[in-house]
Every structure is written in C-alpha cells, then in structure tokens.
Amino acid sequence: MLPAGFSPDSLLVPERPRDDTLLRVAFESSPAGMVMVDRDGAILVVNQEIERLFGYARKELVGQSIELLLPEDTRAAHPARRAEFLLHPKRRAMGTGTDLLGRHRDGLKVPIEITLNPVETDTGLCVLACVTELTSRKRADEELRRSNAELQQFAYVASHDLQEPLRTVTSFLQLLQRRYGDRLDADASEFIAIAVDGAARMQRLIEDLLSYSRVDTRGGALVPINAGVAIDASLQDLRAAIAESGARVERSELPRVLADPAQLQRVFTNLIGNALKFHGPEPPLVRIAAARDGAFWRFAVTDNGIGIDPKDYGRIFVIFQRLHSREEFPGTGMGLAICKKIVERHGGRIWLESVPGKGSTFLFTLLAGPEP
Ligand code: ADP
C-alpha cells in the first residue's frame, strides 16, 4: 500500500536542462572571453567576458568588424592577417611573448592573449577567438623573462666581442716587454707588468662571463651518468692545486644522475676548487658525499676551511660577488654563479651550510638517473 499523500511524481528526478541551454550557459559564463567571427571578420556572437573586457554591449558588437576591438594603429594590417589565417586554419596561440593589445571602448589598450580556433559551421568556416586578459602578474613574468633574455644576449655579445680587442692589447704589451724590455727602466717594466696582469685578469673575467651566458645557450642534453666520472675529471683538472695545498679528498660511493656531463664536471670543479682555495692554517680536507632525496640525489661538498657568515649565503651566488680581496684569495667571483645556473638548468637547487672558522658544506640536488 502506498502511504497517504504519496504521488508517483515525487519519484521523478528533477528535469535536466536541455543540452543547448547548458552549452549557452557554459559559453556565457566562461572566464575566457569568446568571440566568433565569420570569414569576413564580422562578429557573430560574443560572451559576457568580451563585453566586460572591451566595454561594449553585445548588440553594439554583433555585425561589426572584429577590427573594432583592435587599437587603431593595428587595424589596417589586420584583414591581411585574417586572410592568412584562413589559408592555414589551425588552432594558434597568440600573445605569449609578444605585446598583443586589444582596444577598450574608452580607447585604452588592453594587454591580452588570444587563441584562435577554426570552426566549421552550417554556413561555412568561422573563427572562434578565446581572449584572456594578461594579468599584471603574468605581465611582470613576461617582462622578467624578456629582460633576462636581453641581459643574457648582452652578456654574450659583450664578452664575445671584448675578447678580440683584449687579445690585441695583451699581445702588444707582451711584444713591448720582449722587444724593449732591456731598454726600459725599472718603473716602465713594472708598469708594463701591471698592465699585462690587468689584461690577463680581464681575460679571465670575460671567459667566465662567457661561460655563464653559455650555460643555457650551449648546454648539452641531460643524460644518465655516474657522478663519480665527473668528479674524476674534476680532480684531474685540480691535481696541481691538490698537490700544492697538500689536500686530502675523500668521497663516498656516488650515484647515477641525469646531467650534462661537461656541466656537472664544471660544478664539481668549482666547488672542490673553492674548498681547496678557501682553507685556513690546516691543509684542506674535502669530503664529497651523496644522499637520496625523493626523485633527486643531494650532493654535499664539505671542507674544513675558513667558513662563511650566514649573512653572505645569498650574495656569494651572485655574479662577480666575492667576500675577499684578490690579494687574499685569487678568483673572479663567477664560480658559484655558474654552479647555480647549471644546477637550476638541471631542475635542482644549490645552497650551503657553514660555521665561520670551521668549514662549509655546499649542497645541491640533481635528478636521479635510471639504473642501468
Ligand atoms: P671565486 O672563487 O672566484 O671568488 P665564487 O663565486 O666561486 O668565486 O665564490 C664567491 C665567494 O664565496 C668567494 O670569493 C668566497 O668569498 C666565498 N666562498 C666560496 N666557496 C667558499 C668556501 N668553500 N669556503 C669559504 N668561502 C667560500
């Protein structure tokens, strides 16, 4: 028996909105602006976000040419670009990495990104443009990316082009020294020696700046390699410094990682080289170890040297930053900046722990390589 007052209707699921209603609601409430134009660039339909972005009511837009939404100075060239799109109608993103601007009704320019999608309709090919506003955060990221790329280009061109005139200066100074050395008095010889020394130093600075700018542009593929192989090569590079300082270098078993072999060697050479260089009265003792850390291996290069004050931890990774005079310890101040750039290119990070007067440990992570 059915309870009193029961109606079979109450068992019915509430009616679902029709598909075309759902589609209309989705189109309207999409957070991306959407505007569809026909082959001739006439606006067929827009959603609410387009009204908000450009400040027009939809009845003012439908039937108008899409050029209405472009800044005046780009309108004339636009029909040709539309025609070009229709020749090769493929989904295409525009605006990332460039200054794409729309025009608000009040004349202000709106920075935007657009994805164009060709759509086949009953009445022929149309284009659906999805428009998103470039937020200030995205714009700042974009500007940073661009200014980094420019800086990189500048560093490369400057260091590359400075090498040639510098070589001329060095070789003529050396010629002067060789050919006229015996005819010059002590002061003149000393001045030439200082100039030769300065030119040699500038050469080292330029080479390091060039290596820095090449970390990204000339970096090789990341391949699985045993970190021990890179360390062997570094120790070979550093054998004179090791012998001279009477250093002891200890290492544990080392893992396979994903790295550009030449760049990994550079990181170890710089870190072990610093561990040998910045030592106190005791001969250097350098320890190299690795520990697993999730998908990464964490490497540690530890020394018993002079140590670093925590307030300088950030500074020493910046290009040309040094904590000592050249008379105390030679160097260009580029080594750690290059290490940082290499490690970050590999998706890892680099940092340090140190006790002034006792020693430092430089740590960095690299993705673990697949086992052979
Ligand atoms: P450079 O060695 O040419 O001076 P780096 O970029 O390699 O340049 O290092 C920057 C500075 O960081 C060094 O000048 C030094 O003051 C400090 N530093 C680096 N490694 C160590 C270390 N192992 N112990 C003490 N100080 C260090």
Side-chain angles (χ1 to χ4, degrees):
M1 265 275 286
L2 291 173
F6 177 84
S7 137
D9 283 354
S10 59
L11 284 175
L12 289 178
V13 181
E15 203 183 329
R16 183 176 175 277
R18 290 163 44 132
D19 280 356
D20 52 352
T21 313
L22 278 177
L23 286 178
R24 206 174 48 248
V25 172
F27 179 78
E28 268 312 318
S29 55
S30 157
M34 291 203 238
V35 46
M36 178 124 85
V37 298
D38 67 12
R39 294 191 68 91
D40 302 320
I43 297 175
L44 299 170
V45 57
V46 300
N47 71 353
Q48 275 171 21
E49 178 63 5
I50 291 287
E51 293 182 296
R52 189 193 71 78
L53 269 176
F54 295 94
Y56 290 95
R58 73 188 59 204
K59 63 176 185 299
E60 296 173 289
L61 290 175
V62 174
Q64 295 293 325
S65 150
I66 187 71
E67 274 82 44
L68 178 68
L69 301 180
L70 302 183
E72 285 89 338
D73 54 349
T74 57
R75 281 181 189 165
H78 197 251
R81 298 183 60 183
R82 273 197 286 107
E84 194 193 344
F85 179 80
L86 291 174
L87 281 179
H88 311 282
K90 270 206 312 259
R91 169 191 273 239
R92 196 174 304 170
M94 298 160 67
T96 18
T98 58
D99 287 319
L100 199 63
L101 295 168
R103 181 187 182 281
H104 191 270
R105 182 186 194 156
D106 60 16
L108 284 182
K109 293 182 177 170
V110 203
I112 47 176
E113 278 176 352
I114 299 184
T115 307
L116 296 177
N117 302 278
V119 277
E120 241 358 296
T121 69
D122 299 344
T123 54
L125 183 66
C126 295
V127 181
L128 176 69
C130 292
V131 186
T132 47
E133 195 173 8
L134 217 55
T135 59
S136 49
R137 154 86 200 287
K138 264 179 162 172
R139 220 177 316 164
D141 282 355
E142 192 53 40
E143 263 160 37
L144 189 65
R145 199 194 57 74
R146 210 174 319 164
S147 85
N148 274 341
E150 276 169 16
L151 199 64
Q152 173 103 4
Q153 179 66 8
F154 171 77
Y156 177 74
V157 171
S159 40
H160 187 264
D161 291 2
L162 282 172
Q163 273 186 320
E164 182 52 35
L166 186 63
R167 256 186 236 121
T168 313
V169 171
T170 312
S171 49
F172 276 87
L173 279 172
Q174 285 164 346
L175 194 63
L176 202 59
Q177 208 169 29
R178 267 206 312 278
R179 219 181 272 169
Y180 299 94
D182 48 356
R183 276 181 266 166
L184 297 171
D185 65 15
D187 270 1
S189 296
E190 192 194 333
F191 297 163
I192 292 180
I194 294 172
V196 168
D197 199 49
R201 180 169 158 64
M202 190 161 169
Q203 181 70 40
R204 279 195 300 276
L205 288 170
I206 289 176
E207 277 163 11
D208 279 353
L209 198 55
L210 210 49
S211 313
Y212 180 78
S213 72
R214 282 178 174 157
V215 168
D216 288 325
T217 54
R218 300 273 174 93
L222 309 190
V223 295
I225 64 158
N226 186 305
V229 174
I231 293 178
D232 287 340
S234 295
L235 295 178
Q236 187 65 19
D237 285 349
L238 293 165
R239 63 190 182 283
I242 293 173
E244 217 169 275
S245 59
R248 211 167 80 223
V249 180
E250 297 174 357
R251 54 200 258 191
S252 63
E253 183 89 10
L254 291 158
R256 274 163 76 80
V257 289
L258 271 184
D260 167 344
Q263 291 193 336
L264 182 57
Q265 182 187 336
R266 180 82 197 236
V267 171
F268 281 121
T269 304
N270 289 357
L271 294 182
I272 302 169
N274 281 349
L276 297 172
K277 181 164 62 171
F278 296 102
H279 68 85
E282 299 285 309
L285 170 61
V286 187
R287 289 202 181 91
I288 307 156
R292 189 67 189 233
D293 183 357
F296 292 85
W297 281 101
R298 187 178 60 241
F299 290 87
V301 178
T302 303
D303 64 51
N304 59 342
I306 58 173
I308 298 166
D309 193 315
K311 76 172 173 18
D312 295 316
Y313 284 4
R315 212 178 110 196
I316 56 174
F317 290 99
V318 174
I319 60 172
F320 295 135
Q321 289 289 328
R322 318 194 63 230
L323 306 175
H324 307 94
S325 69
R326 266 186 295 130
E327 286 67 38
E328 286 174 281
F329 297 99
T332 59
M334 285 297 289
L336 290 177
I338 293 174
C339 288
K340 183 168 192 284
K341 205 168 187 207
I342 292 177
V343 170
E344 288 177 356
R345 170 175 180 253
H346 284 69
R349 64 187 193 98
I350 182 166
W351 71 102
L352 74 141
E353 291 161 3
S354 179
V355 180
K358 291 253 163 65
S360 314
T361 299
F362 281 82
L363 300 123
F364 65 96
T365 54
L366 288 179
L367 275 173
E371 288 310 318

